[in-house]
Amino acid sequence: MTMQQPVDRRIQYLFPVALASILVLGTTRIVLDHLKNNRVEVIQEFDSREKNRVVRVPISVGDEEVIGEGCNVFEGRWVWDNVSHPVYSEESCPYLVKQVTCQRNGRPDSFYQNWRWQPNACNLPR
């Protein structure tokens, strides 16, 4: 019976320590998730201190790249284009994640890259 008492005492001390650890880890995870998801708000609050300041990314769009007013890009068909497509290879694009890289995932052909979308009433800019 004397050996059982120190084991019970250790268990009594272990439970509050484990509970405190779980609470600290859970709180840390909630705080980090909140900071990760609300990163844009932090930037917006920082920028709102400086009044009349608008941060814009410079974009250059030429006249030949503007889609016409009557162009409905949602109505059209897929056309075979082996002259101007593919525009890039999977290996040269650092933004493609593993789930959308067909050849890295074992697809043996690359003919699917030669199809492009052609709207009925207009041409899409390159």
Side-chain angles (χ1 to χ4, degrees):
M1 285 272 212
T2 58
M3 289 300 277
Q4 192 68 15
Q5 187 177 7
V7 172
D8 290 339
R9 198 172 192 107
R10 280 187 249 162
I11 291 174
Q12 287 177 349
Y13 289 120
L14 184 62
F15 180 74
V17 170
L19 183 62
S21 299
I22 291 171
L23 289 174
V24 168
L25 290 174
T27 304
T28 304
R29 180 175 179 182
I30 290 171
V31 168
L32 291 176
D33 284 345
H34 179 73
L35 288 174
K36 181 177 112 178
N37 294 334
N38 293 330
R39 189 176 138 216
V40 175
E41 291 177 12
V42 172
I43 293 171
Q44 288 173 349
E45 289 175 11
F46 175 77
D47 288 343
S48 66
R49 294 179 193 156
E50 300 175 19
K51 294 184 178 182
N52 299 327
R53 179 178 178 211
V54 177
V55 178
R56 293 190 179 154
V57 178
I59 299 174
S60 176
V61 178
D63 291 336
E64 68 278 356
E65 296 175 324
V66 176
I67 298 176
E69 192 68 33
C71 180
N72 184 355
V73 296
F74 299 105
E75 292 181 8
R77 65 188 192 288
W78 289 100
V79 294
W80 178 259
D81 183 1
N82 61 352
V83 177
S84 65
H85 279 70
V87 179
Y88 56 87
S89 65
E90 288 182 5
E91 296 83 25
S92 67
C93 184
Y95 304 107
L96 291 176
V97 294
K98 183 181 178 187
Q99 291 83 356
V100 297
T101 53
C102 296
Q103 291 178 332
R104 288 184 196 163
N105 286 319
R107 185 169 179 160
D109 67 318
S110 63
F111 296 121
Y112 64 94
Q113 295 178 349
N114 292 68
W115 290 93
R116 67 175 173 82
W117 180 250
Q118 178 61 52
N120 289 333
C122 56
N123 290 321
L124 292 177
R126 298 244 334 137

